[in-house]
Amino acid sequence: MQIQLFNSKGRQKEPLRLREPGRVGLYVCGVTVYDHCHIGHARVMVVFDVVVRYLRACGLQVTYVRNFTDIDDKIIQRANGLGIAIAALTERYIAAFHQDMAGLGVAKADVEPKATEHLPEMVAMIDRLLAKGLAYTGGGDVYYAVDRFATYGQLSGKQLNELQAGSRVEVDGCKENPLDFVLWKGAKAGEPSWPSPWGEGRPGWHIECSAMSCKYLGESFDIHGGGMDLLFPHHENEIAQTEGSTGHPWVRYWLHNGFVNVISDSGEREKMSKSLGNFSTIADLLAHYPGEVLRLFILNSHYRSPLDFSGELLEAARHGMDRLYTALAAAKKQLGALPEPISLAALSAEPDAPLWQEVAEPFCLAMDDDFNTPQAIAVLFELARTINRSVTLLAQGGAVEQSDLRNRVNLLRQLAAVLGLLLEEPEHYFHRQNSDGGEDARIETLIQQRLAARQARNFAEADRIRQQLAEEGITLQDSKEGTTWRRS
RNA sequence: GGCCGGGUGGCGAAGUGGCCUAACGCGGAGGUCUGCAAAACCUUUAUUUCGUGGGUUCAAAUCCCACCCCGGCCUCCA
């Protein structure tokens, strides 16, 4: 198994070579907590959740760090607008974030540091930059002098002179160069501030990621990820800060995910963003779709490609997810209970097993190739079909190797789990949402009434009941063993 | 203006020199099953075709050139 990943630094696929064998340090830029998260945020979180899940499935020990930006202009503005304390605002949206992530099946990071809890680390780094002559003070602020960092622009492939030529950056009075960025902002009246050698103030945006990643992952680590839009200037600035202050290489692999686009009312395709106001929040979507449907929708495109968002596409993803769970449900009926999934590591220990070659290997090869989740998902669907085929055969009285079916189901759940899919019991998935016990009992009663009608060959009444349930979004499925129901 | 991506069937989306007469999913059509359905299964749904026009090669969706579109970044943004 050799994982290849597309390194934004250098813009090509490279084999993943770790600093320390068996251990991976991963930092992903989290969210600024001043509002609800939208599907664009969901994409980064799901994508890197899968990266972590896969690396762990490969037996690597991953330390995953994902920050919260809990102090910045927009947060202050928003809190003032609402007339509440900053901490009250950020706590509210951190809680909302966690709830969204739980709904999406995104595991918590190992460390979720907050900027406001790392002021000393940031101040220390700024201090080092000043001592090294890479930063300068002006009007109570501290700025980074980008032209003193030799490789500035290397990550994003930008030349300093080109940037300046086409620059639309407003020239700040205290900046020596319009591209210089602020490390420390001097306090203004009515704003929260912290003490520093340069007076009261607060940190610039970029410094937190440098300081916090170094604290939790060391001054060099393996992978840093985030949305494509962070590549410049955020990540460029992070490099300048970190390597400028430590004097040695920092991040080995940069991973950037593509954007979520929305087709606007006028038919234009545009990036989904808070500033454009064209977003669907995760919470809104989770009210209508199971989290795994959103995951399948996101993972069905490669993480670096742009992703168009629409209700129809989400609906298609839902049907796809139903299909996977249907295979699971059918197998469960045959096997009595779903077997405990075997681990990927245990499987790979027996690479000669036919199932490994037929299924697990193609899956892993796809994932090894820069996390090609669409291809990996294809393997899942093919596996689901072989399961359905066996179940169909059994139902027709054919002979099927029970152990083979069991192994396939095992494998389906195990591989799907790497993508954070098929984590529920099928009946829970199909009975989901607003199905409290009373609701379920009511549906069961109607099914019994319909059964009685059918036995009396009163098909008009049976169909009436079925139609009534259909109008509630409930589909019935008759079989020799009885009738089951699902929400669609 | 500079710099990056991308244009594949009705839709989404893999594939980036021969295994591609193009995976997989959604949708459509026909069949099996069913009282009828639903689901599943089977068959089928791009055959000078992978934005357009040239070129390289024994061989190109895949490499090169030109052109046309689309998106992103260059300012906060996942």
Side-chain angles (χ1 to χ4, degrees), chain A residues 303-420:
Chain A
Y303 76 89
R304 282 191 287 111
S305 306
L307 176 60
D308 288 340
F309 176 84
S310 75
E312 296 84 83
L313 294 173
L314 226 44
E315 209 49 53
R318 187 217 290 274
H319 288 145
M321 207 57 234
D322 284 357
R323 180 172 169 78
L324 291 176
Y325 268 112
T326 297
L328 220 51
K332 187 172 182 178
K333 214 155 93 179
Q334 283 299 330
L335 297 170
L338 292 175
E340 277 305 303
I342 33 176
S343 78
L344 206 55
L347 263 169
S348 61
E350 298 178 64
D352 291 333
L355 263 186
W356 170 265
Q357 288 181 11
E358 180 194 324
V359 178
E361 194 166 47
F363 181 92
C364 290
L365 286 176
M367 291 301 285
D368 278 349
D369 183 14
D370 196 31
F371 309 105
N372 192 335
T373 52
Q375 211 160 56
I377 287 169
V379 175
L380 258 38
F381 278 105
E382 282 165 0
L383 183 55
R385 178 162 44 240
T386 65
I387 289 169
N388 285 333
R389 208 176 273 160
S390 294
V391 171
T392 300
L393 202 60
L394 280 168
Q396 292 168 349
V400 166
E401 196 80 45
Q402 279 269 324
S403 64
D404 182 68
L405 180 59
R406 188 172 295 273
N407 287 339
R408 282 175 189 278
V409 174
N410 252 333
L411 202 48
L412 176 62
R413 293 176 83 204
Q414 186 58 43
L415 297 179
V418 171
L419 304 178

Side-chain angles (χ1 to χ4, degrees), chain A residues 169-203:
Chain A
V169 184
E170 269 182 54
V171 183
D172 189 303
C174 297
K175 285 184 183 177
E176 292 176 3
N177 176 326
L179 289 169
D180 290 349
F181 57 92
V182 68
L183 294 166
W184 187 263
K185 295 183 180 187
K188 295 189 181 67
E191 289 184 357
S193 65
W194 289 262
S196 84
W198 324 286
E200 286 281 317
R202 58 189 166 97

